[in-house]
Amino acid sequence: MYGKCESPVEAQKVFNSMTARNLISWTSMIKAYAQHGNPQETLNLLKRMDVELSGVSFSSALNALALLGALDEGREIHHRVVEANLVSPQMETSLLSMYARCGSLDDARRVFNRMKTRDAFSCNAMIAAFTQHGRKKQAHSGFTGRWSRKSLVMDHGVVPLVEHYLCMVDVLGRSGRLGDAEELVETMPYQADSVAWMTLLLGCKRHGDLDRGERAARKVFELAPAETLPYVFLSNMYAAAK
């Protein structure tokens, strides 16, 4: 209760007063710190834990390690997950995200490649990892371009969610493929919202495409009239174009 009410210190007091602790109490305490921005305490509890960990405990620990960027400890947790026979698509997605956020895209890709079952969450996590690390060629070869939707459905058995398309727009924009990015926004099987057009606008600003940037900005103005960021982006683009 204290953990869910954002009071991990009070939760710790209750935890410390317990005469006997089991898997549930340890996991609850780990989650309390992991969910409220104290990854170091999460890691300390994990090291002190004197009962066999569960999948939930491992997932909470992986989130904390990702915030700390603790790659070595993350690899240790990965080893313990395998030893405990707790590997599942959900756990592998947590491992993938942890490796990416700790700066090891190669480890993240290895986890993804070894997955026997991939779902929308795992594919989305891999796309986000590519985008985060600026690995444009690898992202295009696996997930973007004209045949990206076909690739996700046929190669990975996943129907792309709107989040997949937004990640693709971001990657295409970063790599300068603004025509493809705009086409994807206009043709994706979801109603493009202000976030999609803002993502395209950011790519246009990055590469100085004023005409396409103006079109994207107009869409944002229509969908989110109170949004001020497009004005800032356009101002910077006009200044750069003199």
Side-chain angles (χ1 to χ4, degrees), residues 87-114:
V87 176
S88 66
Q90 294 78 15
M91 181 61 70
E92 288 170 316
T93 300
S94 295
L95 286 164
L96 188 165
S97 298
M98 180 275 296
Y99 279 128
R101 292 168 69 185
C102 286
S104 182
L105 184 59
D106 291 339
D107 281 322
R109 187 61 192 265
R110 274 192 288 273
V111 171
F112 184 79
N113 288 342
R114 292 171 182 169

Side-chain angles (χ1 to χ4, degrees), residues 66 69 71 95-109 124-139 167 170-171 174-175:
L71 182 58
L95 286 164
L96 188 165
S97 298
M98 180 275 296
Y99 279 128
R101 292 168 69 185
C102 286
S104 182
L105 184 59
D106 291 339
D107 281 322
R109 187 61 192 265
N124 199 44
M126 195 67 243
I127 292 171
F130 279 130
T131 304
Q132 174 187 341
H133 289 270
R135 298 281 285 272
K136 304 177 185 68
K137 291 183 180 179
Q138 289 86 342
C167 284
D170 184 41
V171 173
R174 287 173 184 268
S175 64

Side-chain angles (χ1 to χ4, degrees), residues 92-201:
E92 288 170 316
T93 300
S94 295
L95 286 164
L96 188 165
S97 298
M98 180 275 296
Y99 279 128
R101 292 168 69 185
C102 286
S104 182
L105 184 59
D106 291 339
D107 281 322
R109 187 61 192 265
R110 274 192 288 273
V111 171
F112 184 79
N113 288 342
R114 292 171 182 169
M115 292 179 72
K116 295 179 180 178
T117 303
R118 300 185 184 110
D119 58 15
F121 296 102
S122 56
C123 287
N124 199 44
M126 195 67 243
I127 292 171
F130 279 130
T131 304
Q132 174 187 341
H133 289 270
R135 298 281 285 272
K136 304 177 185 68
K137 291 183 180 179
Q138 289 86 342
H140 294 150
S141 64
F143 298 101
T144 61
R146 294 183 182 275
W147 302 106
S148 55
R149 186 176 189 276
K150 181 179 178 182
S151 173
L152 280 170
V153 174
M154 297 186 66
D155 298 341
H156 305 291
V158 173
V159 177
L161 301 175
V162 65
E163 289 84 0
H164 291 103
Y165 285 96
L166 292 179
C167 284
M168 293 177 203
V169 172
D170 184 41
V171 173
L172 290 168
R174 287 173 184 268
S175 64
R177 294 173 58 183
L178 297 170
D180 288 336
E182 185 176 25
E183 181 183 354
L184 191 58
V185 172
E186 292 175 337
T187 61
M188 65 181 184
Y190 299 96
Q191 182 66 43
D193 60 8
S194 62
V195 176
W197 289 106
M198 182 69 80
T199 304
L200 176 61
L201 176 58

